[in-house]
Amino acid sequence: MARAPFQLAGHSIEPGQRSQIDVPVARLYTHTPLHITVEVVHGRKEGPVILVCGGIHGDEINSVEIVRRLLRSKAIKSLRGTLIAVPVVNVFGFLQQTRYLPDRRDLNRCFPGNENGSLGGRIAALFREQIVDQATHIIDLHTGAIHRTNLPQIRAQLSPGSETERMADAFGAPVILNAELREGSLRHYAQSRGIPVLTYEAGEALRFDEWAIAPGVRGVLRVMRRLNMLTGEQRRRALVPAELANGSSWARAPIDGILRPQIRLGARVAKGEVLGIVADPFGNQEEEVISMADGIVIGMSRLPLANEGEALYHVARFDEIEEAETAIESFHSSLTPPPDALY
């Protein structure tokens, strides 16, 4: 029995075909139309429908490049099931090089949306109705915020033996955070619908970080292989299994001033260890930024200017910290360019 065509936003994609579809979103002040552009790859054989999306925050451009490379991968030519690829969801933010929508709302706090609500609510409702609700699995791609960088990591709500856990293990990021769901996020909405979803966090906003992009592409392909969407085996050495963090916390600036970092992203730190020093421009007052726990630095500020109370270092805690350190070292050694490029 022949597989049925895939329907999206009024378009029909035949088995074995791929198509780009412009989903109308809104118009600029100039009356210029804006679209969320989607590429659908509809395999000849039955299988899952996976949504891979980037740019829900418009300044997170690493995610856009991951989707572009995924669509150029030879591996998806023999796809089973269907790939829905969306490089840029928040087209308004992408044009303005900002995280937010024109009304300063965060699109990733607007789901499930409301077609009669705010701009964010309307875009979220459109994206949900036309695209998200068709997916059986989702990978949502993100970076750190402006002037913040993240070690490659998966964030997901995990339960033993779940499909989400299988996807997270397959991805190959060195760290997995069993993260609580945030009201209004795409991940929260998808989980409420029973759709397994991963959030991949890596790198910094408004930057191309190759050490975040290349592992992101490989991770998506690994998940698709785990879901039996791709044929053939990956010809790369086996990765050290990712370590599951049992919690995390931020070390914050004790005073206003200029930060002098003392540690690097991905470093193992001990409770009480000095992570950085904040001083006023004259050096009259200096205070140390102290780690509140043993762990691994999985995120940090890249801007030396700090206000009192500002989050500077994100430290994840692990039951087996030595294994976590090994997983991160293994990840570093697999990168090209070498690990020093992380910093």
Side-chain angles (χ1 to χ4, degrees):
M1 182 176 177
R3 191 179 187 205
F6 187 79
Q7 307 295 327
L8 189 142
H11 294 259
S12 181
I13 302 93
E14 296 293 329
Q17 301 296 313
R18 58 194 294 172
S19 180
Q20 285 187 4
I21 299 167
D22 290 332
V23 181
V25 174
R27 292 182 182 271
L28 298 177
Y29 302 129
T30 60
H31 202 62
T32 303
L34 282 184
H35 303 86
I36 296 175
T37 301
V38 183
E39 183 153 337
V40 176
V41 184
H42 191 43
R44 295 184 183 277
K45 297 181 179 180
E46 295 290 341
V49 178
I50 189 168
L51 167 63
V52 181
C53 59
I56 282 184
H57 295 132
D59 58 359
E60 297 182 350
I61 63 175
N62 279 335
S63 62
V64 181
E65 178 65 5
I66 290 172
V67 176
R68 186 193 71 82
R69 294 190 193 182
L70 173 66
L71 288 170
R72 296 298 173 265
S73 171
K74 295 179 181 179
I76 67 172
K77 291 182 178 180
S78 57
L79 181 74
R80 296 191 185 100
T82 304
L83 167 65
I84 306 173
V86 186
V88 184
V89 178
N90 181 359
V91 288
F92 281 101
F94 189 71
L95 286 171
Q96 297 298 320
Q97 301 175 24
T98 178
R99 178 183 182 90
Y100 301 107
L101 293 162
D103 59 1
R104 295 298 297 169
R105 281 183 168 84
D106 183 338
L107 181 56
N108 207 31
R109 297 294 179 270
C110 293
F111 288 92
N114 182 342
E115 60 185 17
N116 296 313
S118 67
L119 176 62
R122 293 173 189 231
I123 294 175
L126 173 73
F127 186 59
R128 168 181 57 81
E129 293 169 0
Q130 299 289 343
I131 299 168
V132 175
D133 286 348
Q134 301 213 46
T136 62
H137 301 74
I138 298 174
I139 300 178
D140 184 21
L141 306 167
H142 288 264
T143 77
I146 190 75
H147 302 311
R148 297 184 186 277
T149 187
N150 282 331
L151 184 77
Q153 59 197 260
I154 287 294
R155 298 182 185 179
Q157 188 178 56
L158 304 175
S159 57
S162 67
E163 186 80 335
T164 303
E165 184 181 62
R166 290 179 62 238
M167 291 169 64
D169 289 339
F171 196 97
V175 171
I176 300 172
L177 282 179
N178 192 359
E180 293 296 321
L181 298 172
R182 291 194 174 186
E183 187 76 28
S185 67
L186 173 60
R187 192 160 65 90
H188 183 275
Y189 171 73
Q191 289 284 124
S192 73
R193 289 288 305 274
I195 304 171
V197 55
L198 302 182
T199 296
Y200 174 63
E201 290 270 2
E204 183 180 354
L206 295 178
R207 297 287 183 272
F208 265 5
D209 300 302
E210 183 60 29
W211 54 268
I213 294 167
V217 179
R218 292 197 297 266
V220 173
L221 291 172
R222 286 191 189 100
V223 172
M224 293 175 72
R225 285 192 175 89
R226 180 66 62 88
L227 297 176
N228 295 317
M229 298 183 70
L230 303 178
T231 59
E233 295 294 326
Q234 192 169 22
R235 297 178 182 177
R236 295 182 181 272
R237 63 175 182 171
L239 294 175
V240 174
E243 287 298 316
L244 178 64
N246 59 28
S248 66
S249 58
W250 281 91
R252 299 181 179 274
I255 60 172
D256 303 300
I258 300 170
L259 172 68
R260 303 198 307 275
Q262 303 295 301
I263 55 88
R264 295 177 170 182
L265 186 67
R268 176 179 176 177
V269 297
K271 183 176 181 179
E273 183 173 344
V274 177
L275 306 178
I277 299 171
V278 179
D280 68 62
F282 300 98
N284 295 325
Q285 183 182 10
E286 292 193 349
E287 294 284 345
E288 296 174 336
V289 183
I290 303 297
S291 176
M292 303 304 292
D294 297 337
I296 301 287
V297 176
I298 62 169
M300 61 185 291
S301 173
R302 297 288 293 246
L303 184 67
L305 310 179
N307 294 305
E308 183 176 350
E310 187 171 351
L312 299 179
Y313 296 94
H314 193 190
V315 179
R317 303 184 297 275
F318 300 86
D319 290 329
E320 304 292 342
I321 193 167
E322 288 80 9
E323 284 77 359
E325 188 175 30
T326 298
I328 291 168
E329 288 175 352
S330 175
F331 172 80
H332 286 180
S333 66
S334 71
L335 295 175
T336 303
D340 285 348
L342 274 168
Y343 318 114

